[in-house]
Structures are given as C-alpha cells and as structure tokens.
Amino acid sequence: MSTTPDPQTPDTAQLLEIALEAARRAGALLRDGRPADLGVAATKSSPIDVVTEMDIAAEKLITSYIGRLRPDDGFLGEEGASSDGTSGVRWVIDPLDGTVNYLYGLPSWSVSIAAEFHGTALVGVVEAPMRGETYQAVLGGGALVNGVPAHCRTAVEFSQALVSTGFGYLSERRAAQAEVVRTLVPKFRDIRRAGSAAIDLADVGCGRLDAYYERGLNPWDLAAGALFAREAGALTGGRPGAPASGELVVAAPPGLFEPLQELLDGLGAWHD
Ligand code: LIP
C-alpha cells in the first residue's frame, strides 16, 4: 500500500497552521487597532448593512498573509476578495463577522477563515479575540476550543432548547423572520440573538447553545463555524435533505436537528 501522499490533496496541517496565524493576526488588528471614532465606511444591501475600515483592513491582512504562503490558492471574502486560483484550494473569509457588534463596541465578533478543497471545507478557524477563544476544526479530525476538544450538547426537547438565530438587513426579511420567532419563543427554553453566525455555530459545537438557525447567511459567515459544529458532533444543513445555504442554516445535535428542521420548514423559515 502506498504511503506517498496524493500530491493533489493539500496538507491540512499546513492549511490549519496558516488559518490559525492569519486569524490570530487579523483578530489582534481588530482588537488592538479599533479607532475610538470608528464609523461606517460603506453600506451594502441596505443602510444598516455596514462595512467599516477595519473589515477591509482585516481582509487585506488575511489575503496578503495567505497569498504570500500559498500563491496558487483562490479566495472568497466578504469584502471583495474573489479569485479561483489553480490549486483547488479556496480560502473562504469573513474578516469581521459581527460587524455591527464591532461598530457598537460589543464583544461578540469574530474572524472566520475556512480552507476548501474543490468545494469541501477541510479546515476552519473562528477567532473570537474578546472571548480569548480560538475555535479550530479539521475535516475528520475533530474540533478544538483553545486546544481542548469541543463537543456539542445531547438532544433535548424543544421546551428545554436554548436556540440562537439572526436577522437580515432588509426590513421585509426581518418582518418574516420575526413572525417565525414569534411562534418559536413559547416553544423553546429561550432564544438568543448574538450577532455573529460564526460564534453561534462555534457555541453549538462547544455545547453553549442547543441549536442555531438563520436564513440569509453568506458562505463566509458559515464555512468555518459549520465545520467546527460538525466536527464537534452536531449536524448542519438547511431545509430537510438540503445542505446549509443562504436559504437556511440549521445546526444542532442529532435528535434535535431533525425535528427543528421540520419545524422551521413548516414555519417557512426558508423564505421571506
Ligand atoms: C452577520 C452574521 C449574523 C447575522 C447578521 C450578519 P456580518 O454577518 O454573522 O449571524 O445575523 O445579520 O449577517 O455581516 O457581521 O459579517
């Protein structure tokens, strides 16, 4: 049996090391370099979908650092990084997940970096500097929080479930999402809305949430956190039988994941 590694398959240990260092550097920039007078540099889908100079600076730091080490890789970043590369590896980057929290000086924000190989996430890192925590996962290699194995909770009944979600930036979508939440609040233990999808997914993996769902995420919001949640024993997906996508993301332990998917599907959480 050959012990020679397939030259096409990237070295996941190297990808992880690069992702960890890039996320650490970007996290330090965001934590230590936040201007006291931070304002909105631009808006995207709506007047409340904001970008700061720090989102842009963090993405530039990450893509420059990774690009020097892996010049043949591609990028997909929230703030415009977009290239196919030739290696089959694509870095999916949310340089600042939880931008509104960061703008307001709230601590729940993160740097999210995943490395995909032909569309499959092999490595994911979520850096949460204000928590002092780094969440890392390798496909088939488990999930660690600050180097300690992370495990999701075991399934509970809806009435015992602490569930996080989020809302979009367009008022029409927010109205539809509020209707779903109105139905869910009396069913669940409680609802949380923390403002960073990557941290919500990491919290499912760490057992700090029973479940998370959200409609309207972009690939960079969920790539690293969803891998972390899966490697910590949770299931992730969208509508029943569908993968996680902008239509709907659901993350929860087996036994809670399936009934939650069905409940959300019946409530129309997958459309506006
Ligand atoms: C955010 C997500 C969050 C969602 C927000 C926003 P951003 O990403 O992490 O879950 O509810 O509306 O999309 O824009 O801060 O990178």
Side-chain angles (χ1 to χ4, degrees):
M1 178 179 72
S2 168
T3 58
T4 305
D6 177 352
Q8 295 300 318
T9 305
D11 175 353
T12 53
Q14 184 211 32
L15 297 179
L16 176 63
E17 183 181 349
I18 291 170
L20 285 167
E21 180 60 16
R24 187 195 65 76
R25 292 184 182 203
L29 170 72
L30 292 164
R31 181 193 59 225
D32 304 332
R34 183 184 183 280
D37 60 348
L38 181 66
V40 173
T43 60
K44 294 186 281 191
S45 64
S46 80
I48 57 171
D49 184 1
V50 298
V51 182
T52 73
E53 65 186 80
M54 299 305 285
D55 295 75
I56 296 165
E59 183 161 302
K60 183 175 180 182
L61 180 156
I62 294 166
T63 55
S64 298
Y65 176 78
I66 295 174
R68 286 196 301 273
L69 296 170
R70 292 191 55 95
D72 299 329
D73 293 356
F75 289 100
L76 174 64
E78 177 168 19
E79 306 317 335
S82 178
S83 60
D84 292 332
T86 57
S87 68
V89 172
R90 182 177 73 162
W91 296 88
V92 183
I93 300 163
D94 192 338
L96 176 47
D97 188 54
T99 297
V100 173
N101 285 344
Y102 184 81
L103 177 67
Y104 277 73
L106 294 169
S108 190
W109 54 267
S110 61
V111 178
S112 179
I113 300 175
E116 297 178 341
F117 186 57
H118 295 302
T120 298
L122 299 184
V123 162
V125 171
V126 177
E127 180 80 7
M130 306 311 282
R131 286 186 170 189
E133 291 188 333
T134 302
Y135 314 96
Q136 66 186 75
V138 175
L139 179 63
L144 302 177
V145 50
N146 285 3
V148 177
H151 303 285
C152 68
R153 300 177 80 86
T154 54
V156 294
E157 297 295 323
F158 285 155
S159 63
Q160 293 292 313
L162 184 64
V163 180
S164 184
T165 190
F167 308 115
Y169 290 120
L170 296 173
S171 59
E172 297 83 359
R173 172 164 293 180
R174 294 170 69 80
Q177 291 171 321
E179 279 305 304
V180 172
V181 169
R182 184 178 63 80
T183 303
L184 298 179
V185 167
K187 290 180 180 291
F188 294 158
R189 174 194 292 272
D190 209 345
I191 292 280
R192 295 287 185 269
R193 198 285 192 249
S196 167
I199 290 180
D200 284 329
L201 288 161
D203 280 343
V204 169
C206 290
R208 297 170 178 159
L209 290 170
D210 289 299
Y212 164 70
Y213 79 93
E214 186 163 353
R215 169 173 170 69
L217 294 184
N218 289 296
W220 46 76
D221 293 315
L222 68 96
L227 177 63
F228 180 88
R230 290 193 297 273
E231 288 298 323
L235 298 176
T236 63
R239 298 186 68 188
S245 71
E247 183 180 55
L248 184 65
V249 174
V250 183
L256 173 58
F257 175 77
E258 301 86 352
L260 179 57
Q261 272 189 311
E262 293 296 338
L263 175 62
L264 291 169
D265 200 57
L267 292 175
W270 49 277
H271 66 77
D272 297 342

